[in-house]
Amino acid sequence: MAVNILAFGPNGSGKGTQGAIVKDKFGTDHIESGAIFREHIKGGTELGKKAKAYIDKGDLVPDEITIPMVLETLAKSKKKGWLLDGFPRSKAQAEALDKSLNEAGMKLDYVIEIVLDREIAKQRIMGRRLCANDNNHPNHIAFDAIKPVEKDGKLVCRVCGGELSARADDQDEDAINKRHNIYYDTETGTMAAVNYFKKAGKAKIISVDGSVSIKEVTAAILKELN
Ligand code: AMP
């Protein structure tokens, strides 16, 4: 049976790490809007070129680019369902997603929300590293459980030994602040999208405290998934 999940949490809340665990539990696709953009940028596509300027500044990529890109990816997803991460990020995107799911006769099963204080989220962002081989390999210089390992005097991925890099938008405080302004905005931003799905009452809402250890957050989420 297909399981469809939305994952919410500010940048730095561990949403990607937890999302990877949850998608493994159900065998769903892991659809990350930010990762799709990064693939396009790496591949030098037209969409990537258009998106890059926004992403580097921490601005949202316009809806006319983002919404069709994500909805097309969802439509192509395999039978086991999907875990959607990074979308919707605004009330308008939440409405577009809800409408599209209704039209496709797709059911939303769970909405996972990782709750985390803004300052803590910011500190966490600056230490995370991306693996060149798999962006689901968690690496963070400040957390023992997912610390990169040293090889030939260089820090490499703790899972596969792959090369690590920091995202440019993770090292830029203005960009981080902008992304958080969007996330914590309850009028039109991502919190408005979270509240939209809370109010809609169609899916089971799982809100967990993101300030505890990775293992504890995982346990709190898994307890609520059935
Ligand atoms: P993320 O990897 O989720 O932090 O996304 C990186 C960047 O991609 C964001 O800062 C935005 O510029 C862009 N992006 C990702 N998802 C969306 C979305 N749903 N709507 C607009 N822009 C997005």
Side-chain angles (χ1 to χ4, degrees):
M1 205 189 64
V3 179
N4 298 327
I5 305 166
L6 294 183
F8 287 105
N11 297 107
S13 66
K15 173 170 51 80
T17 306
Q18 301 298 341
I21 294 169
V22 173
K23 70 109 192 172
D24 282 347
K25 173 182 162 69
F26 292 112
T28 65
D29 290 338
H30 192 181
I31 300 174
E32 289 182 78
S33 48
I36 305 174
F37 283 128
R38 283 187 288 279
E39 278 302 308
H40 276 280
I41 293 171
K42 215 157 98 186
T45 68
E46 273 312 304
L47 193 155
K49 280 180 204 154
K50 280 190 202 151
K52 188 173 185 315
Y54 297 97
I55 292 175
D56 285 348
K57 283 191 281 182
D59 289 329
L60 289 184
V61 179
D63 279 353
E64 57 268 31
I65 301 175
T66 307
I67 292 177
M69 179 188 84
V70 173
L71 296 183
E72 276 162 30
T73 311
L74 281 188
K76 277 189 270 174
S77 103
K78 288 174 252 133
K79 285 203 183 71
K80 290 199 162 168
W82 38 260
L83 180 136
L84 185 52
D85 175 344
F87 185 98
R89 244 176 168 91
S90 64
K91 193 168 178 214
Q93 291 183 359
E95 287 164 354
L97 175 66
D98 193 24
K99 182 165 172 268
S100 154
L101 294 182
N102 285 338
E103 282 167 6
M106 257 190 215
K107 185 169 145 281
L108 185 62
D109 296 285
Y110 299 103
V111 174
I112 299 172
E113 178 196 18
I114 302 179
V115 180
L116 189 65
D117 173 78
R118 184 168 175 155
E119 260 318 299
I120 302 175
K122 184 169 162 182
Q123 287 161 22
R124 286 190 181 176
I125 290 177
M126 305 200 72
R128 67 181 179 191
R129 297 293 178 265
L130 267 190
C131 170
N133 297 330
D134 186 337
N135 64 20
N136 277 328
H137 289 170
N139 288 274
H140 196 292
I141 58 174
F143 295 114
D144 284 341
I146 53 168
K147 231 181 207 153
V149 292
E150 209 176 309
K151 196 180 145 205
D152 303 328
K154 237 176 64 182
L155 289 179
V156 296
C157 174
R158 51 179 275 282
V159 181
C160 71
E163 220 169 280
L164 292 180
S165 62
R167 280 168 46 180
D169 58 344
D170 278 356
Q171 302 304 305
D172 176 340
E173 255 189 274
D174 286 343
I176 294 170
N177 286 336
K178 263 196 213 169
R179 274 145 67 198
H180 280 162
N181 285 343
I182 296 165
Y183 187 84
Y184 292 98
D185 175 354
T186 53
E187 296 292 317
T188 58
T190 312
M191 282 305 302
V194 176
N195 291 335
Y196 177 92
F197 285 102
K198 280 185 179 169
K199 259 200 216 126
K202 295 180 193 164
K204 177 171 179 181
I205 310 288
I206 302 175
S207 275
V208 297
D209 171 13
S211 70
V212 294
S213 74
I214 293 171
K215 275 204 177 125
E216 287 169 301
V217 178
T218 306
I221 294 172
L222 292 182
K223 206 174 73 180
E224 298 294 328
L225 295 170
N226 34 50

